Amino acid sequence: FAEQSFEGGVRSQADQIQHFVCHCVINEGIPSNSSLILSENDAVTIADLQAALKPPSKLGNREPGPLIFLNACGSASMDPMVVASFPRFFLRDNHNRGFIGTETNVPDKFAAEFSRCFYDDLLNGVRLGEAIYNAKWKMLCNANNPLGILYTFYADPDMAVKKEESK
C-alpha cells in the first residue's frame, strides 16, 4: 500500500508515484510466471504479487494506490487472450491509479533519459498525458531516438502531482 513504509509502519502522507527500475521477463507460456528481476538473485512473479495481495474484500474502501512507473523492458506488454500481465495486476488487482511501462525492450540509458524528461515536466506541474507526450518528443527531437513510442500508460491523462501545502 502507498501509505505503508518499508519497515511496516504507516506514513503520514501516501506515495503518489512508485517508480521501479529493473528488468522484466515476460513468460508467454505461463503469463503469471512473468517476473520482475529486482536484483541478481531477487525476482518476483505476477503470481507472487497476487499471492501477497490481500483479497479485495479486505481492502475496504481505501483510496486508489499510487501511479506505478515500471521502467522495465516489456513491462506493459499485454495479450488480450490471457489473464495475467503487470498492467492488469497493478490496475485491477492492486487498485493503483495508473500504470506506465514499455511494450518491448528498451536500452537502459534510453530508459533513464526518458524518465528524466518525463519527471522534469511532471514535477513542474505538467499533467501526466502531456508529460509522457513531451518526453517522447524530446527524445525524438533532441536525441533523434524514436523509442519513446514504446512507452504506454494506462491512467487519466489529466492526472497531476499534488504539491504539498506549505504550513
Side-chain angles (χ1 to χ4, degrees), residues 36 62 69 86 140:
L36 298 176
R62 73 176 177 98
F69 191 154
F86 287 106
L140 180 62

Side-chain angles (χ1 to χ4, degrees), residues 42-53:
D42 193 14
V44 62
T45 66
I46 294 173
D48 295 335
L49 292 169
Q50 289 169 328
L53 181 68

Side-chain angles (χ1 to χ4, degrees), residues 1 11 22 28 30 34-35 56 63 73 76 87 100 107 129 143 153 161 166:
F1 298 118
R11 289 187 279 226
C22 56
E28 292 180 11
I30 306 173
S34 296
S35 61
E63 290 291 316
C73 293
I100 301 170
F153 73 100
V161 171
S166 57

Side-chain angles (χ1 to χ4, degrees), residues 9-10 12 30 38 44 47 56 58 61 63 67 81 92 124 132 137:
V10 177
S12 61
I30 306 173
L38 304 172
V44 62
K58 294 189 179 182
N61 292 329
E63 290 291 316
L67 171 69
M81 301 307 288
R92 193 201 72 187
N124 283 301
I132 291 278
W137 274 104

Side-chain angles (χ1 to χ4, degrees), residues 11 16-17 23 26 59 66-67 71 74 98 110 141 144 154:
R11 289 187 279 226
Q16 293 183 50
I17 301 171
H23 294 282
I26 301 299
L59 291 174
L67 171 69
N71 208 357
F110 181 88
C141 295
N144 293 321
Y154 303 95

Side-chain angles (χ1 to χ4, degrees), residues 108-159:
D108 291 344
K109 286 184 178 183
F110 181 88
E113 185 61 20
F114 181 90
S115 62
R116 188 193 64 72
C117 289
F118 167 70
Y119 284 117
D120 279 350
D121 275 357
L122 189 70
L123 298 176
N124 283 301
V126 176
R127 299 199 177 279
L128 176 67
E130 189 176 350
I132 291 278
Y133 175 84
N134 290 347
K136 291 177 180 190
W137 274 104
K138 285 176 188 172
M139 296 305 295
L140 180 62
C141 295
N142 298 345
N144 293 321
N145 195 326
L147 292 181
I149 194 85
L150 299 175
Y151 280 83
T152 192
F153 73 100
Y154 303 95
D156 178 354
D158 289 327
M159 187 183 314

